[in-house]
Amino acid sequence: MKKDFYLTRYSLIIKRLERSPATYPELESYLLNSFEFQDAKIVSYSIRTLQRDIKDIANLFNFDIHNKKKGDNRYYIESRPVMEVDEYNQRLIESFQIMNAVNSQPDFAEFVYLENRTPRGIQNFYDLLFAIRNKRIIEFQHFKYKDQSTSSRKVHPMALKESKDRWYLIALDTKDEKLKAFGLDRISDLVVSKAGFKLQQRFDLKEHFKNAFGIMNLEEQPENIIIRSTKEQAEYLKSSPLHHSQKIQRETEKSVYFIYDLYPTYDFIQEILSFGNQVKVMEPKSLINKVKETLEKSIQQYDESSVEEEKS
């Protein structure tokens, strides 16, 4: 059995048992007939390996897998982690599956086309995670896109949050005691201090970001937002919701109406605009006006007078 194949085995075992309980022979047959095992030219899978894999899955993913009796009775997932941890585990499994699939094929570049991405500050990820877990004060230089300036920051790190393929540090700025988000790709000269900190007030970040879309500062109150989508676009929104609060309000012959409980932030407006004429905001009126204002400014850029100004 290949040593670097264990993550693929774990993901396949979980995938099979999520469908229904299975005996060892059923699991063995499922694994050996999978394309992953066939590509790796693996032709055997012992019950001893299965038992070892089950223990490793429990330690790594917090999945409790048991069988009802000794021998070849059915194995099943007895308990699952809380929703947030389960979602993290699923993404971890998916990442490992892709990594193993790509690494196992020397000619993968002919068939798998990855997006070209520039470095996004991930080199500081572990150091930041260490500082968060151990409540260490950190200092760094932060570059601001808006005015192309760099400033020194001293913060109390609290969490790491992902948004649109970018990672952000959520931290309390010691300068003004405000909760802020700092893009990891704009952090440099990071120093993790030996000095610790104790928060003066309790922050429930899970609650803080519950109604958030993106990473913008949440200064407004969440609102019920209703959008109307074409039937075709609705299928994409159903399969990949914009936010966990997304619900279908109603459907007509030509449209689907979705409702959200969200802060009407700049990030959300940009997301809505990205759908073009496939999606329209129906409520609230304040958000409709913001979208219209943004569109009007965009159209103004293409006015003949604006084009002439650029030429001159």
Side-chain angles (χ1 to χ4, degrees), residues 65-81:
I65 298 175
H66 297 285
N67 63 334
K68 295 181 179 180
K69 296 178 182 178
K70 291 183 178 180
D72 280 348
N73 215 300
R74 294 186 302 167
Y75 289 86
Y76 62 98
I77 298 175
E78 184 177 62
S79 64
R80 299 194 60 116

Side-chain angles (χ1 to χ4, degrees), residues 3 7 21 69 111 125 132 145 160 175 249 252 291-292:
K3 291 183 178 180
L7 292 172
K69 296 178 182 178
F111 315 109
F125 198 94
I132 292 166
Y145 286 142
L160 294 166
K175 181 176 65 176
Q249 186 192 50
T252 66
V291 171
K292 288 174 67 176

Side-chain angles (χ1 to χ4, degrees), residues 34 39 49 98 101 104 116 121 130 143 163 185 190 215 224 252 259 271 278 295 309:
S34 68
D39 274 344
T49 303
I98 293 171
S104 66
N116 292 323
F130 174 86
F143 181 74
S163 177
D185 57 329
L190 175 69
I215 202 71
N224 284 331
T252 66
I259 187 168
E271 187 72 16
Q278 299 295 302
L295 286 170
E309 286 177 11

